[in-house]
Amino acid sequence: MHDLISNLAMGFGVALSLQNIGLCFIGCVLGTAIGVLPGIGPLPTVAMLLPFTFALDPTGALIMLAGVFYGAQYGGSTTAILARLPGETSSVVTCLDGYAMALKGQAGTALAIAAIGSVVAGMATTLLIAAAGPPLADVALLFQSADYVSVMLLGLVSAVVMAHGSVLKALLMILFGLLLGTVGTDVASGDYRLTMGLDMLADGLGFVPISMGLFGLAEIMVNLESMAGRTAIAKKVGSLWPSRAVLWQAFPAMVRGTVIGAAFGILPGGGPTIAAFSAYSVEKKVARDPSRFGQGAVEGVAAPEAANNAATQSCFIPMLCLGIPPNALMALMVGAMMVHGIQPGPSIITKQPELFWGMIASMAVGNVILVILNLPLIGIWVKLLQVPYAFLFPAIIVFCAVGTYTVDSSTGDVVLMAIFGVLGYVFRKLDCEPAPLMLGLVLGPLLEENFRRAMVLSDGDAMVFLHRPISLAFLVAAALLLAAVLLPSIRRGRQEAFRE
Amino acid sequence: MFIGIGAGGLMLAMPLESGTAGAMEAGFYPRLVCALIIALGCLTALAGLLRKGELPEAWHWWPLLMVSASAVVFAALLDIAGFAITLFAVALIASLAGRLLNIWRAAMLAGVLVLMNIALFIFALGLPLRIWPRI
Amino acid sequence: MLRRHLLLIGGTALAAPAVHAQSFPGGPMTLIVAWPAGGGSDIAMRLVAEAASKQFGVPVVVDNRPGAAGAIGHRAIVNARPDGLTFGMFSTAGVAAPYLNANANTIDELEPLAFFGSDPSAIQASKASGITSLADFVARARANPGKIKNGNDQPGGASFLAVASYEKMMNFRIQKVPYAGYAPTVTALLGGEVDTATVAIPDTIEYHREGKLKILGVSSPERHFMAPEIPTFKEQGFDVDVGSWRCIAGPKGIPADRLKILQDGLLAAMRTEEFATRARTAGFTIQPGNAARTLARWRADDALLYGILDEAGLVKARKH
């Protein structure tokens, strides 16, 4: 305990130096500014600003990059709420109720709840990392391929829970997503699958063009059908600040989201994504009236945003404590360290205590800066919604096209976006939700890769999923969840059948 | 109505001839997923038939066409016509999708958007895009 | 590509003390990197771009064109206007690529410019495996073919090619388990999911020093500068030199006078003291070499890797 306090004191000594506060602030500002451009999520933002940090000292460089990361993450939530444009996978969930709230004229409340949820989760997780980072990092090592398979399955099942329409359709959408996820290079054999001979598809279907199409463009197409509804929203903006009652309602959701997010964030791969989806499903299961979800339930914004942000913080745990980057973004951070001659490894804590504790303290600082930065911005964002839709939507289309193009400088991606825009419109007409599809798309490749690896490692013995305790636990959880969803709908189905 | 997706799954499954199913080769997993999609698709279709009747709401082809067209135009024009002309065309087509603005106001909006985007992406973010077509 | 301009700013600033270069550049240069921003190759090439910018007195912009295991970026180099202003990175994986992907370009479509260096491969053993030395490992692998599980990347990747080369040159057979990149491989090795791995020295040296895994040896003629305590394969009785190299290549058809200036300039840039220091700090083994040496390496590895891929049944295109 005493160690913790003195270590944190040292950390804050580093993080609160004028230079580092400045770097953190610049990082947050740049991250937010670039992150609100549609299609440009945290990964490209950090990659884009990485060379800036080569000239800084390693601690300053990492603090600034982390600031960029939080900023971009938050910027992504902003576009998800305002225009139904998720810049990265984990904000797909925020779209559901966040955008629904914006339609009801509660964009300000949704943004504020997202900001507050993020800071609550960020602070709690930062403390957790400081108190128990290294032992938690070892937990990540306990997970093997078979266990990941079970975790992914749990994540996919949670997508069924969150769908508010037909369970069958949700399952279909997940499967469709899984199928789309198989496009590209097969990790196990190096074969190209379903690429139709196009090199553009060799790395799979990008997340950005698909989400921009399915969510953003499809939304515009639907809105243009019924202009009346949309102009009405723009006029009633509503209060910017959440009332005490709303905060009271959202707080337990934030806490649950934080716990879920912190736990899943440590796991490599789909951490934040599974966290956000699971947190949403849990809220929907816990809620007394689940039908509010998808119609602008405040918990539906608070929980996934908290989970998302907790997971963003806790994915630093394996990176800082073990030197192992759990995702592409953390790999960029490791790259930034290696440029400065710091080798990734468990010795960072002992050899670079200033960097380790300074980094942790800067997470707290970054979260505070982000809130200070973003709460006043909410007013401006909401004003943006008051621009007549006739002017707004062509602007959104143009930004989507340019944003999608810039990610890989590929015009093919823009065409892909158009195709998925049409598909998204069709799905809307058929009452199919695109969110489960996105989850399938993101988790599918990870699921397959780990499944096949688990089979190789166990010499083809499928029982491995039941023999490993971690895997078994997640499988049981997934089965229970699935049963909880299916039973009522089957019963209902029977009743309907009887009635006929 | 879901036979469409079921058939889509089937169609997508067609090129999966590569890879042998048994020994966990590349084709195994996609085929598995496709089979599930087709099964569930049929089930949904069946359920739809049983319930019968409820046609989906009317489709509006104009916005669908124009919005997707604007994105395709972006892709087609960018390498030939440069950033400015492309964006102008995209914005114009996009505004037509709404049929809310007359042509002059749409052109004005497109002009403003082009300037905004040039300022943002080319000057502020410094993307190496050509503003004007190469002559 | 978003990052091009940022380096442009850096490049312009650095270009201030412009020196020599017999009047060829006349415009900013572009260095195409077929791998994503922030990765090892990207960092290596940013250092090259910086050094080259000083050498030629013009900005050298890094253009990331990742995708299809390098095939997209390599095509961009092949198709670039041969005015000498656009060139790019080429590496071991690029030599193997045309046999795995019919769309990938071959070494015959590229002009060698200069050699950057070769990062030696190494074998690491997990703590749980109980493997004590390279000789122990080889003995176990030969006694139980296909039983030892080795973590590596996907077929055609640098780590896969390294372990496949070892199998062929040292006459043993193990089970190759594919992971997506070095990070999950190291995680699996630390957690004991695999017995051994073939990852680079900089990614694992700290774990070795902490006793979390054991680096059995490094397959280069000399010991690695960051890990002087790790013996080479040769010292342990296996005369094997395997590594994954990087070089600079351009499109075919650059006029001879420009080609000469470009080749000499790149080599001179990579031979500066400042470049050497920065590259070593970031963990790169640099061995600047001229175009002839680069071409020789391409040819040698083309023959070697084709043989390895062919034996593994992985040649899917351009079968001899």
Side-chain angles (χ1 to χ4, degrees):
Chain A
M1 194 63 206
H2 181 258
D3 272 358
L4 175 63
I5 292 168
S6 65
N7 280 332
L8 274 181
M10 171 175 70
F12 276 105
V14 176
L16 290 177
S17 77
L18 209 57
Q19 187 211 351
N20 286 338
I21 287 192
L23 287 172
C24 191
F25 182 76
I26 295 172
C28 285
V29 172
L30 287 176
T32 312
I34 302 175
V36 291
L37 298 174
I40 307 183
L43 188 63
T45 314
V46 171
M48 181 164 109
L49 295 173
L50 185 66
F52 271 143
T53 64
F54 286 178
L56 304 169
D57 68 295
T59 311
L62 281 182
I63 287 179
M64 179 170 153
L65 283 179
V68 171
F69 177 26
Y70 314 142
Q73 184 97 27
Y74 189 77
S77 308
T78 307
T79 51
I81 291 172
L82 290 179
R84 204 168 180 256
L85 291 169
E88 35 116 27
T89 343
S90 44
S91 47
V92 164
V93 197
T94 310
C95 269
L96 302 177
D97 279 84
Y99 183 68
M101 284 178 77
L103 285 184
K104 290 203 294 189
Q106 300 167 348
T109 315
L111 288 170
I113 288 289
I116 296 166
S118 295
V119 78
V120 167
M123 286 301 190
T125 318
T126 303
L127 258 179
L128 180 76
I129 299 176
L136 281 177
D138 288 335
V139 172
L141 292 183
L142 293 178
F143 277 73
Q144 301 198 345
S145 302
D147 308 324
Y148 286 121
V149 172
S150 304
V151 174
M152 303 294 160
L153 281 177
L154 178 65
L156 291 176
V157 169
S158 78
V160 181
V161 179
M162 61 182 254
H164 48 74
S166 137
V167 173
L168 214 54
K169 282 182 187 169
L171 277 173
L172 258 176
M173 292 304 276
I174 293 177
L175 286 172
F176 192 40
L178 291 177
L179 185 65
L180 292 177
T182 62
V183 174
T185 311
D186 170 29
V187 176
S189 67
D191 280 345
Y192 287 11
R193 295 189 302 195
L194 305 179
T195 55
M196 299 177 256
L198 299 172
D199 266 352
M200 189 195 111
L201 295 178
D203 290 314
L205 295 166
F207 169 81
V208 169
I210 294 187
S211 76
M212 290 296 121
L214 278 185
F215 288 88
L217 291 193
E219 178 64 27
I220 290 174
M221 295 173 188
V222 171
N223 278 338
L224 287 179
E225 291 181 352
S226 52
M227 283 308 302
R230 176 68 208 213
T231 28
I233 331 145
K235 276 179 195 131
K236 53 164 189 180
V237 166
S239 78
L240 296 187
W241 297 100
S243 66
R244 200 168 293 171
V246 168
L247 272 179
W248 191 239
Q249 196 183 353
F251 189 72
M254 286 177 193
V255 174
R256 285 188 288 264
T258 305
V259 174
I260 293 170
F264 279 109
I266 304 170
L267 304 179
T273 310
I274 301 185
F277 275 77
S278 313
Y280 187 90
S281 311
V282 166
E283 284 316 308
K284 202 175 163 184
K285 276 283 138 198
V286 171
R288 234 175 271 145
D289 175 17
S291 66
R292 283 189 301 119
F293 282 79
Q295 315 293 327
V298 72
E299 300 97 317
V301 177
E305 274 300 304
N308 187 352
N309 208 44
T312 348
Q313 309 278 343
S314 70
C315 70
F316 276 92
I317 293 178
M319 198 276 276
L320 283 174
C321 302
L322 288 175
I324 296 172
N327 54 35
L329 219 149
M330 288 297 125
L332 282 183
M333 297 267 184
V334 169
M337 293 196 329
M338 289 182 83
V339 167
H340 291 104
I342 298 172
Q343 300 315 314
S347 51
I348 293 177
I349 307 176
T350 43
K351 280 194 192 153
Q352 312 269 347
E354 282 91 8
L355 183 135
F356 181 82
W357 293 103
M359 189 69 209
I360 288 177
S362 87
M363 292 180 186
V365 177
N367 272 296
V368 172
I369 291 182
L370 212 57
V371 161
I372 298 177
L373 195 69
N374 275 297
L375 286 181
L377 277 179
I378 291 176
I380 301 176
W381 297 130
V382 172
K383 283 253 160 50
L384 215 59
L385 281 184
Q386 286 169 305
V387 174
Y389 201 59
F391 295 108
L392 199 57
F393 85 86
I396 296 178
I397 293 177
V398 168
F399 276 113
C400 281
V402 181
T404 303
Y405 173 77
T406 51
V407 174
D408 273 337
S409 48
S410 151
T411 47
D413 278 349
V414 185
V415 176
L416 208 59
M417 176 179 84
I419 295 173
F420 276 91
V422 175
L423 256 178
Y425 180 80
V426 175
F427 286 150
R428 281 286 280 266
K429 286 293 168 198
L430 297 179
D431 246 342
C432 297
E433 290 159 83
L437 186 152
M438 294 314 297
L439 192 69
L441 173 72
V442 173
L443 296 188
L446 294 170
L447 176 71
E448 186 198 1
E449 184 197 324
N450 281 295
F451 178 68
R452 292 173 63 179
R453 191 185 301 130
M455 296 312 276
V456 169
L457 289 166
S458 71
D459 300 316
D461 178 11
M463 294 307 283
V464 66
F465 299 107
L466 302 178
H467 286 324
R468 291 192 50 85
I470 301 178
S471 163
L472 185 65
F474 279 102
L475 277 185
V476 169
L480 286 178
L481 198 58
L482 196 62
V485 186
L486 286 180
L487 282 180
S489 72
I490 290 174
R491 214 176 294 142
R492 214 182 309 134
R494 244 191 237 138
Q495 279 165 3
E496 270 171 34
F498 282 131
R499 234 178 287 145
E500 277 172 31
Chain B
M1 54 189 171
F2 250 95
I3 298 170
I5 290 182
L10 196 65
M11 234 162 62
L12 283 161
M14 291 303 276
L16 283 176
E17 239 62 82
S18 62
T20 53
M24 300 302 265
E25 293 281 326
F28 179 81
Y29 171 83
R31 279 187 184 183
L32 182 80
V33 173
C34 279
L36 282 171
I37 290 188
I38 294 166
L40 275 181
C42 290
L43 208 65
T44 319
L46 213 68
L49 283 177
L50 281 179
R51 241 178 268 141
K52 76 180 182 246
E54 37 175 305
L55 282 165
E57 6 169 352
W59 290 48
H60 293 67
W61 293 103
W62 180 254
L64 186 67
L65 202 69
M66 294 316 269
V67 171
S68 45
S70 59
V72 175
V73 163
F74 177 90
L77 279 185
L78 188 67
D79 287 335
I80 313 165
F83 196 63
I85 294 177
T86 306
L87 278 198
F88 190 81
V90 170
L92 207 62
I93 297 174
S95 347
L96 290 178
R99 286 190 283 203
L100 296 165
L101 300 172
N102 64 36
I103 191 85
W104 296 115
R105 298 187 68 183
M108 257 167 57
L109 173 69
V112 172
L113 278 176
V114 169
L115 291 180
M116 251 170 70
N117 274 280
I118 289 177
L120 187 65
F121 284 97
I122 298 191
F123 291 114
L125 288 177
L127 298 184
L129 291 159
R130 266 180 304 114
I131 300 180
W132 301 110
R134 189 184 288 164
I135 306 149
Chain C
M1 99 161 232
L2 277 171
R3 299 174 61 197
R4 282 201 255 187
H5 117 102
L6 299 166
L7 213 86
L8 198 90
I9 297 173
T12 324
L14 291 164
V19 256
H20 35 260
Q22 299 101 326
S23 73
F24 146 62
M29 294 170 140
T30 305
L31 202 172
I32 296 170
V33 178
W35 308 97
S41 291
D42 177 62
I43 292 170
M45 288 306 117
R46 274 173 203 281
L47 297 174
V48 172
E50 198 183 304
S53 170
K54 284 185 194 161
Q55 186 68 31
F56 293 114
V58 292
V60 179
V61 183
V62 171
D63 183 1
N64 297 94
R65 296 286 186 87
I72 289 174
H74 296 149
R75 169 132 2 95
I77 304 174
V78 170
N79 292 341
R81 200 182 290 188
D83 54 7
L85 290 174
T86 306
F87 41 88
M89 189 192 96
F90 191 68
S91 58
T92 321
V95 175
Y99 301 118
L100 298 160
N101 172 7
N103 293 341
N105 295 100
T106 63
I107 51 171
D108 300 327
E109 296 169 80
L110 288 162
E111 182 72 52
L113 297 176
F115 197 71
F116 172 84
S118 174
D119 278 323
S121 301
I123 297 185
Q124 296 83 0
S126 76
K127 228 160 96 179
S129 72
I131 296 171
T132 53
S133 68
L134 189 60
D136 181 26
F137 165 72
V138 174
R140 289 191 198 201
R142 283 179 186 160
N144 299 299
K147 280 278 175 275
I148 292 181
K149 294 180 173 89
N150 183 76
N152 44 261
D153 51 8
Q154 67 189 39
S159 165
F160 177 92
L161 292 174
V163 67
S165 306
Y166 292 148
E167 283 182 308
K168 189 176 160 80
M169 294 168 155
M170 294 158 78
N171 190 28
F172 61 80
R173 199 166 62 75
I174 54 182
Q175 172 86 53
K176 295 187 276 293
V177 186
Y179 288 85
Y182 87 90
T185 315
V186 173
T187 314
L189 192 63
L190 292 175
E193 190 174 31
V194 289
D195 308 306
T196 58
T198 37
V199 208
I201 289 281
D203 296 329
T204 47
I205 183 62
E206 286 299 321
Y207 306 104
H208 174 82
R209 289 183 180 145
E210 294 272 325
K212 308 235 174 204
L213 53 77
K214 188 167 175 61
I215 304 181
L216 301 176
V218 53
S219 58
S220 53
E222 283 135 41
R223 292 189 175 199
H224 195 279
F225 70 92
M226 283 170 92
E229 70 267 40
I230 309 289
T232 64
F233 278 32
K234 196 173 181 182
E235 288 171 48
Q236 300 179 68
F238 299 93
D239 195 357
V240 171
D241 178 4
V242 173
S244 68
W245 45 261
R246 296 182 176 95
C247 69
I248 318 286
K252 286 272 184 198
I254 301 174
D257 51 333
R258 290 189 163 212
L259 187 63
K260 171 115 181 57
I261 296 173
L262 192 58
Q263 288 172 336
D264 294 349
L266 285 170
L267 188 58
M270 288 195 277
R271 283 201 168 135
T272 56
E273 193 56 43
E274 192 194 348
F275 175 76
T277 318
R278 295 207 57 179
R280 284 170 71 99
T281 308
F284 296 109
T285 307
I286 55 159
Q287 302 139 336
N290 61 17
R293 198 181 127 197
T294 312
L295 186 62
R297 188 71 190 244
W298 288 4
R299 295 252 163 85
D301 274 16
D302 188 43
L304 172 75
L305 296 179
Y306 181 81
I308 289 169
L309 293 171
D310 196 26
E311 264 174 44
L314 286 167
V315 174
K316 287 161 190 146
R318 300 189 176 85
K319 207 161 172 67
H320 297 341

